[in-house]
Amino acid sequence: MITTGFYYIAACVAIPAIICWLEAKTSWKVWKWLPAFVFVYLVNMICCTVHLWDLEATYPAYAAVKNNLLYAMIPLMLIRCDVRKLAKLGPKLILTFLCSVLTVCVGVVVSYAIFHGALGNNSAHAAAALVGSWLGGSDNMVAVQAVLNVPEGDMGACIIIDNIYYSVWIAFLLWSAAMAAKFNKFTKADTSYLDNKIDMNAEELMAKAEPANFTGLMFLLGFGLACSALTQWIGSLMSGFLTLEGGTWTVILGTLIGVFAGMSPISRIGGKEELSNMLVYIVVSLLASRAGFNELFDAPIWLVFGAVALALHAVLFILLAKIFHFDLFSCATASMACIGGTGSAPIVAASFNSMLIPVGILMGIFGGLLGNFLALICDGIMIMF
């Protein structure tokens, strides 16, 4: 069992390195249905389940590396994208996101109406905390817990649900990218508004990008890490301002820096795609390394409640996608923006096309803004059962 922080980080980097090498060097048909993203997630979850590393002993290394790299990844991703053109995609993507928010709320409330008798007294507050987490991330869950004084026992069950289904859902959505054509055909989605912008953005970036070189990569690495440190420091100072947590402010600030850098000469530096992709895979590997399959049996009735809530969200969202002709990219990114928040939505967006990463970031921010408010509304509804 790995108990040393460096060995643990080395393993989490080596796993995606080997998988990406295999995907590039082999012609296995499995890559068509299970992309490298999914394999990285599954392999890390298996390693966690069999206790290849000690979660408690390696947590300090995880905590020191994961968020720092995540907040460096965001501005580096945004440098690759022309947000001015992506802004023209707004109305339909906003409608998709609002439908995702609505179906998450309905899914949790309906599932609670079914299982509230078995979940125990005052469990509505815990379910509301889950809504908060599923509409923007763990920061919202903590805020809702503080407001509603949710008991630690119920919160423990919700945290387990949140971690398990987050892990399952992001893996599923990453896998779903391979099914985009079939889904879009089913919903009769017109993706030309996305395809045209992707092609235009990619061509413009390629036309002005310099070849990757040591100097450029060194600058970009320093730029990303400096952004991570600066935005986390300012975010901690702004925590609580406009009711937003420090992590949300960190993402907002990192997004703004990336947006402006993408419209500056920095966007012409070569190697930003390679470096940001490396960070994406390392962050995905670290996230999956804390999600073991053995947690599935710790809170059975809460697990059933969470499974039904997530299933209702998926079914209702698919029905709305059929009615409004949503494409799979928009649906998957909007869903992950709710269930996972700002750190996960851009990863799902990247699995479809890296040029649309800003959409995932912006959706995640919107989820964080709405999460607390809607969680309290759902709590008011659920306590009536």
Side-chain angles (χ1 to χ4, degrees):
M1 178 184 292
I2 295 174
T3 58
T4 303
F6 175 74
Y7 294 170
Y8 160 73
I9 296 298
C12 288
V13 175
I15 289 171
I18 294 170
I19 292 173
C20 288
W21 183 84
L22 288 173
E23 185 182 39
K25 298 297 182 179
T26 64
S27 57
W28 299 340
K29 292 183 179 179
V30 68
W31 301 120
K32 181 179 179 181
W33 305 105
L34 291 175
F37 268 121
V38 179
F39 267 106
V40 170
Y41 228 93
L42 291 177
V43 171
N44 275 278
M45 288 186 72
I46 292 170
C47 291
C48 179
T49 302
V50 300
H51 304 295
L52 182 61
W53 41 72
D54 186 301
L55 292 179
E56 184 176 352
T58 58
Y59 181 77
Y62 169 81
V65 174
K66 192 267 291 183
N67 278 348
N68 291 328
L69 291 186
L70 173 63
Y71 296 137
M73 177 190 79
I74 290 173
L76 288 175
M77 281 181 162
L78 283 167
I79 292 174
R80 303 164 55 177
C81 311
D82 190 339
V83 179
R84 291 170 295 187
K85 291 182 173 58
L86 289 172
K88 298 178 182 178
L89 306 180
K92 192 167 186 178
L93 289 170
I94 292 173
L95 176 60
T96 309
F97 174 72
L98 292 177
C99 288
S100 179
V101 169
L102 174 65
T103 53
V104 167
C105 292
V106 171
V108 174
V109 170
V110 172
S111 183
Y112 182 80
I114 297 171
F115 297 105
H116 70 278
L119 294 175
N121 297 328
N122 300 319
S123 55
H125 295 337
L130 181 64
V131 173
S133 181
W134 281 5
L135 292 181
S138 300
D139 286 348
N140 286 352
M141 174 185 274
V142 174
V144 174
Q145 178 192 15
V147 171
L148 299 176
N149 294 316
V150 181
E152 291 297 331
D154 288 345
M155 276 305 300
C158 279
I159 291 171
I160 290 173
I161 292 174
D162 186 38
N163 289 334
I164 289 174
Y165 290 124
Y166 162 78
S167 301
V168 171
W169 200 237
I170 190 173
F172 172 75
L173 292 178
L174 291 171
W175 168 82
S176 73
M179 308 298 292
K182 292 183 178 179
F183 183 91
N184 295 341
K185 182 178 180 180
F186 166 72
T187 61
K188 298 180 180 178
D190 179 12
T191 60
S192 59
Y193 79 108
L194 287 172
D195 297 335
N196 292 337
K197 299 300 179 185
I198 292 171
D199 294 340
M200 183 187 305
N201 205 13
E203 290 174 3
E204 290 180 355
L205 286 175
M206 290 177 64
K208 65 180 182 180
E210 301 170 354
N213 57 66
F214 167 76
T215 303
L217 286 170
M218 196 68 203
F219 175 85
L220 290 170
L221 179 60
F223 173 79
L225 294 177
C227 286
S228 176
L230 179 64
T231 55
Q232 288 185 78
W233 176 61
I234 298 176
S236 66
L237 296 177
M238 297 181 67
S239 181
F241 181 63
L242 298 179
T243 72
L244 298 179
E245 298 296 323
T248 302
W249 279 118
T250 299
V251 171
I252 292 174
L253 293 170
T255 299
L256 291 174
I257 291 174
V259 167
F260 286 111
M263 296 184 287
S264 75
I266 295 177
S267 65
R268 294 195 291 270
I269 298 176
K272 51 190 175 294
E273 293 84 2
E274 293 82 357
L275 182 58
S276 58
N277 284 340
M278 288 169 59
L279 294 181
V280 169
Y281 274 91
I282 293 172
V283 170
V284 167
S285 183
L286 288 167
L287 288 170
S289 71
R290 319 305 289 184
F293 292 106
N294 50 344
E295 295 177 339
L296 292 172
F297 305 104
D298 289 350
I301 192 62
W302 280 95
L303 284 175
V304 175
F305 155 72
V308 171
L310 192 58
L312 287 170
H313 159 64
V315 171
L316 292 173
F317 202 8
I318 290 172
L319 291 176
L320 290 174
K322 180 69 173 176
I323 294 171
F324 293 109
H325 309 299
F326 295 149
D327 58 274
L328 184 58
F329 159 75
S330 302
C331 292
T333 305
S335 180
M336 199 68 244
C338 290
I339 304 300
T342 50
S344 307
I347 293 174
V348 171
S351 69
F352 286 83
N353 192 293
S354 61
M355 297 299 160
L356 294 169
I357 286 168
V359 175
I361 295 174
L362 293 174
M363 284 186 176
I365 291 173
F366 290 151
L369 293 172
L370 292 173
N372 294 341
F373 174 71
L374 292 177
L376 295 177
I377 292 178
C378 291
D379 179 69
I381 296 173
M382 289 185 289
I383 60 177
M384 295 188 294
F385 293 114

